[in-house]
Amino acid sequence: MAGVVLRSSLARAPSKVPSLLSRSYATSTPARAHHRVVVVGGGTAGITAAAQLKRTPQLANSDVAILDPAPPGWTLVGSGLKPLDGMKRPLADVVPTGVKHYPLTVSTFEPENNVVKTSEGVNVSYDYLVVAPGLETNFAGVSGLQEALADPTSLVSSIYSHKTVEQVWRNIQGFKKGKAVFTQPAGVIKCAGAPQKILWMALSQWNRNGVRGDIDATFATGAASMFAVPKYSEALERLRRERNVDGLFQHNLVAVDAKNKVATFKNLADNGKEVQREFDFLHVVPPQKPWDWVAKSPLADAAGWVDVDKATTRHNKYANVFSIGDASSLPNSKTAAAITSQAPVLVENLLAIMEGRKPAAAYDGYASCPLLTGHNELMLCEFKYGGVPKETFAGVFGSQDQPMRIFYHLKKDLFPTVYWNSFLKGTWFGPKGWSKPSSLS
């Protein structure tokens, strides 16, 4: 599911908000507002949590609000499988019915006072808070990258920007000969499999075009292996070798010189020694990090994530605060599929707190990465905490470390429909499909 996400025209642009807000909104919104539940974040995690909360009998008639900073990113578009117009919708179209939407930018949290402050001067107080704003994509974290992306002739692109996601596939289709480099940064990113999806789809397209033999491909990653889960990492390493892709491991991209076609990496295994690679085609996944207003808040742990219990999703200090999705400290892969298992746990435990019960629902770390490995094939990586595989279809199709066509069509044809029509409406529960896990019924 990762790569199919929401967009908001007001995302992280506080200076533009006043001019974009309608006059009626600006005059009708008080300087202070209060809601039973406030959800920070209008991406997949925030919308899903709000939708599931509103579907519970306990909160069906209660006031729930969303404050939205919604970040973007698309892999189906960048790999040529879906048009951009079909993979984005205005945030207002998917906010659950009955949920108040504030198109405002959070500036700080005051959990001691149960208040969220915004850059627009509106303070929103709450009885319960759900923090799910996603990650910040830090294009400025790579020297020269922003300038390279702004030049369509540079053959530098990224699926992590709505401005260049369509350019990715145009570059792939037009590339005939030379050195192609695909990067993945060190640290946490949205959808850890996305950098490889573009690599494998590009190779597949170049095979179709009959030019693969004239292209030298390199996968340069800040990680120590192809994937964090050993079972799938071994399978992907075999693919890398079979498909003649050079691997640069623990090499973190730090600079792009589009004019001279040079990418500079730091070798993390050699005290950060700089390594330069020439390129003719470059796909970049920029570094990502928690938003500063999360990382510097009382809600954050030392690393900048919202500090929650990894099983209950409840904050370790503030009993009325919960967090799921990319901004949380939950130690698993940052994927939309993970949210399908996180959200029901959050909802059950939040309701338990409301009713004076002890939170009993537990999240086991389930995440999924539908990893495209070429046209008509996909490796469906499913796992839980500890890198332990948790495969939904192994009993039917066998071990899921083998790319399969059936999984490709699930990703391309079924998952987008499920996302818009069920996932965001609070009626999809990941491996359980439309059946709510029995332990949470």
Side-chain angles (χ1 to χ4, degrees):
M1 199 76 68
V4 187
V5 300
L6 302 173
R7 290 187 63 232
S8 167
S9 60
L10 301 178
R12 305 310 303 157
S15 62
K16 298 181 181 179
V17 169
S19 64
L20 292 173
L21 293 177
S22 67
R23 181 180 299 273
S24 61
Y25 181 90
T27 57
S28 65
T29 302
R32 294 188 65 87
H34 180 85
H35 294 274
R36 179 75 163 154
V37 181
V38 169
V39 179
V40 172
T44 300
I47 292 292
T48 302
Q52 291 192 18
L53 286 166
K54 286 299 289 184
R55 285 183 172 274
T56 64
Q58 298 94 321
L59 289 172
N61 297 316
S62 294
D63 58 331
V64 177
I66 286 179
L67 279 71
D68 160 50
W74 302 267
T75 53
L76 288 176
V77 177
S79 56
L81 300 178
K82 293 287 185 180
L84 179 59
D85 287 344
M87 303 306 288
K88 64 176 182 178
R89 295 184 186 178
L91 184 59
D93 289 357
V94 293
V95 170
T97 301
V99 173
K100 173 71 174 180
H101 172 218
Y102 292 93
L104 303 173
T105 305
V106 174
S107 60
T108 189
F109 296 97
E110 290 187 356
E112 300 289 352
N113 299 317
N114 296 333
V115 169
V116 177
K117 291 190 172 183
T118 71
S119 298
E120 296 77 22
V122 179
N123 294 342
V124 182
S125 59
Y126 56 82
D127 295 326
Y128 302 91
L129 176 68
V130 176
V131 185
L135 299 177
E136 180 181 7
T137 304
N138 184 21
F139 290 97
V142 176
S143 177
L145 177 58
Q146 291 173 304
E147 294 80 1
L149 291 174
D151 178 5
T153 67
S154 69
L155 292 190
V156 178
S157 59
S158 176
I159 60 169
Y160 281 82
S161 168
H162 70 277
K163 296 178 181 179
T164 67
V165 63
E166 292 179 296
Q167 187 64 35
V168 173
W169 197 244
R170 286 195 291 266
N171 287 355
I172 289 171
Q173 288 180 308
F175 194 59
K176 306 298 182 185
K177 182 179 181 180
K179 299 175 180 178
V181 178
F182 300 80
T183 76
Q184 176 172 339
V188 173
I189 63 170
K190 294 175 278 189
C191 187
Q196 285 190 60
K197 294 174 188 179
I198 299 303
L199 162 69
W200 302 126
M201 289 300 295
L203 297 182
S204 181
Q205 185 62 40
W206 292 331
N207 278 324
R208 286 185 167 195
N209 292 347
V211 298
R212 176 66 181 92
D214 295 321
I215 296 173
D216 294 324
T218 297
F219 182 58
T221 172
S225 62
M226 292 294 287
F227 202 73
V229 178
K231 176 179 180 177
Y232 304 120
S233 183
E234 291 170 7
L236 292 164
E237 176 64 14
R238 288 194 297 271
L239 278 186
R240 183 186 70 79
R241 293 177 182 274
E242 290 168 4
R243 298 180 182 182
N244 195 29
V245 176
D246 187 19
L248 282 181
F249 296 101
Q250 293 186 274
H251 280 63
N252 196 43
L253 182 69
V254 294
V256 174
D257 181 346
K259 181 179 180 180
N260 294 305
K261 299 288 188 181
V262 173
T264 301
F265 300 86
K266 282 191 175 181
N267 184 346
L268 304 181
D270 190 14
N271 298 315
K273 180 181 178 181
E274 287 196 350
V275 175
Q276 292 189 330
R277 278 288 179 108
E278 294 181 351
F279 68 85
D280 299 294
F281 167 102
L282 180 65
H283 179 265
V284 177
V285 177
Q288 291 153 50
K289 63 185 182 69
W291 298 100
D292 283 347
W293 45 271
V294 172
K296 296 177 181 179
S297 79
L299 299 179
D301 62 15
W305 310 107
V306 182
D307 185 19
V308 295
D309 181 89
K310 73 174 188 178
T312 67
T313 76
R314 184 188 188 188
H315 199 276
N316 286 317
K317 180 178 180 181
Y318 301 101
N320 62 338
V321 177
F322 290 77
S323 181
I324 59 174
D326 296 352
S328 75
S329 64
L330 299 173
N332 67 334
S333 186
K334 308 292 187 181
T335 70
I339 293 164
T340 64
S341 290
Q342 294 169 4
V345 170
L346 179 152
V347 171
E348 174 62 23
N349 288 333
L350 191 153
L351 292 175
I353 297 298
M354 286 182 173
E355 297 168 359
R357 296 183 285 113
K358 182 178 179 180
Y363 172 55
D364 67 359
Y366 173 82
S368 172
C369 181
L371 212 159
L372 288 160
T373 55
H375 289 90
N376 300 314
E377 62 176 55
L378 183 144
M379 186 182 297
L380 184 56
C381 307
E382 293 182 289
F383 45 92
K384 59 183 180 179
Y385 285 144
V388 178
K390 186 181 180 182
E391 299 179 340
T392 305
F393 303 101
V396 179
F397 302 118
S399 178
Q400 292 177 197
D401 61 351
Q402 299 297 319
M404 299 184 195
R405 182 162 190 155
I406 183 66
F407 295 149
Y408 169 85
H409 287 292
L410 284 176
K411 164 76 172 179
K412 178 178 177 291
D413 302 320
L414 176 64
F415 286 172
T417 299
V418 167
Y419 181 82
W420 295 116
N421 298 319
S422 293
F423 193 164
L424 297 182
K425 296 183 183 301
T427 61
W428 178 257
F429 302 98
K432 295 292 184 179
W434 290 274
S435 300
K436 191 174 183 179
S438 57
S439 61
L440 302 177
S441 297

